[in-house]
């Protein structure tokens, strides 16, 4: 499925829709260049889950847990991960295979431990279509 957004607000609204439709145990991977809107999409997903707390990218903590929504939201940012063993140390399996929604930014860095069943989300810019244009591709993996 391919979506096109033309503003941060539209990207947020797409995320909100994804959050509203999320089921327990869902894993989203999220890839895209720096500044492409990954955090805006994550904020929308959180809003769709009913989370009102401010959502920031957990760059230095690897995972941020939000439990006040209709599902727990596990927001990962593995950009600064030094070794895959760091994921074992935080007990990633409890999150990936739990009852919440896991969103993993920079998931390409931990490809070998990702669940087979997941939805990969890629966000891309195309400046020819405008500064705020985003092509957002969702691809289900089984």
């Amino acid at each position: 499925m391919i979506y096109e957004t033309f503003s941060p607000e539209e990207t947020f609204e797409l995320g909100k829709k994804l959050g509203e439709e999320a089921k327990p145990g869902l894993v989203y991977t999220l890839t895209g260049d720096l500044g492409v809107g990954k955090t805006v999409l994550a904020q929308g997903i959180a809003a769709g889950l009913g989370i009102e707390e401010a959502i920031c990218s957990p760059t230095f903590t690897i995972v941020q847990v939000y439990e006040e929504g209709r599902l727990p939201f596990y927001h990962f940012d593995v950009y600064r991960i030094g070794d895959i063993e760091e994921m074992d140390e935080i007990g990633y399996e409890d999150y990936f295979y739990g009852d919440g929604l896991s969103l993993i930014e920079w998931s390409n860095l931990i490809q070998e431990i990702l669940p087979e069943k997941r939805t990969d989300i890629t966000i891309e810019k195309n400046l020819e279509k405008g500064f705020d244009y985003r092509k957002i591709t969702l691809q289900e993996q089984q």
Side-chain angles (χ1 to χ4, degrees):
M1 182 85 49
I2 295 175
Y3 298 91
E4 294 182 304
T5 64
F6 293 88
S7 69
E9 293 79 16
E10 287 183 13
T11 300
F12 180 92
E13 286 301 319
L14 174 60
K16 186 174 179 185
K17 181 181 174 212
L18 294 174
E20 289 169 348
E21 296 173 355
K23 305 278 188 251
L26 184 62
V27 175
Y28 286 134
T29 66
L30 185 53
T31 56
D33 293 336
L34 286 169
V36 80
K38 294 184 298 295
T39 300
V40 171
L41 188 73
Q43 291 167 338
I45 290 170
L49 291 171
I51 297 168
E52 296 178 8
E53 187 176 340
I55 306 294
C56 316
S57 200
T59 302
F60 295 101
T61 59
I62 300 178
V63 64
Q64 183 69 45
V65 177
Y66 304 92
E67 295 184 334
E68 75 268 14
R70 68 176 181 80
L71 295 175
F73 180 43
Y74 311 125
H75 185 194
F76 290 82
D77 184 332
V78 297
Y79 182 73
R80 297 192 190 283
I81 197 165
D83 190 296
I84 202 78
E85 290 176 7
E86 290 179 55
M87 293 299 290
D88 287 328
E89 291 170 12
I90 63 168
Y92 77 90
E93 289 178 327
D94 293 336
Y95 299 111
F96 289 8
Y97 301 102
D99 292 330
L101 182 156
S102 295
L103 175 71
I104 310 156
E105 294 188 39
W106 299 101
S107 58
N108 54 307
L109 300 175
I110 60 165
Q111 194 72 36
E112 62 268 30
I113 63 168
L114 292 175
E116 286 184 25
K117 185 177 180 183
R118 65 181 188 270
T119 301
D120 294 334
I121 302 173
T122 305
I123 304 178
E124 301 169 282
K125 289 182 181 183
N126 182 342
L127 293 177
E128 291 179 11
K129 292 189 175 190
F131 181 78
D132 289 326
Y133 170 85
R134 300 294 183 265
K135 176 182 171 187
I136 302 171
T137 305
L138 279 67
Q139 185 174 6
E140 292 198 23
Q141 305 296 323
Q142 299 292 334

